[in-house]
Structure formats: C-alpha cells, structure tokens
Amino acid sequence: MWETRTVQLSVRLPADVARQAEEVQRTDPDFLSRVILYGLTRRSIYRHLRERDVPSEPDRSHEAPQATV
C-alpha cells in the first residue's frame, strides 16, 4: 500500500472530546489513524481545488500578436 511512518501529535480538545479520543486510541488506534488521514486528505483536496480556481490571466499564446499604434 503506502510507505508509512509514526508521528506524534499534540492537540487541544474540549475535555469530553479528549476523553473520547483517548478511549478510541486505546480501543481502536487504527480507526483514529484513518480519521486523521481522512481529514488531511480532504484538506489537501480542498486546497488543490481552491488553488486551481484562482482566476488568472487567460492564456493567449495561441493568438496572433496585436499591432501597437
């Protein structure tokens, strides 16, 4: 599949969410990894689409040069 490596993350969460994250980490760490991968993948796709939609000057390389007066 993919080459993987371990990373250490430190996040600040509301206490109830932190307790749930700790429980998931203990009981199903693979699920937590998939959730993080999902979130980062969505962010990457969003950034790519946003950068692609930035208006830029149209490509006029195929047009004949304009005479200047």
Side-chain angles (χ1 to χ4, degrees), residues 17-67:
V17 175
R19 282 190 294 278
Q20 291 176 23
E22 290 168 340
E23 178 63 23
V24 170
Q25 180 63 29
R26 277 192 302 277
T27 61
D28 193 358
D30 188 52
F31 174 76
L32 200 51
S33 293
R34 289 191 314 266
V35 168
I36 292 168
L37 177 61
Y38 171 78
L40 292 174
T41 300
R42 281 185 57 127
R43 181 176 185 261
S44 176
I45 292 168
Y46 171 78
R47 288 176 74 180
H48 173 75
L49 292 174
R50 195 174 84 188
E51 289 169 4
R52 190 184 72 176
D53 289 342
V54 172
S56 60
E57 280 196 35
D59 179 17
R60 293 193 170 116
S61 61
H62 63 284
E63 297 176 3
Q66 299 291 322

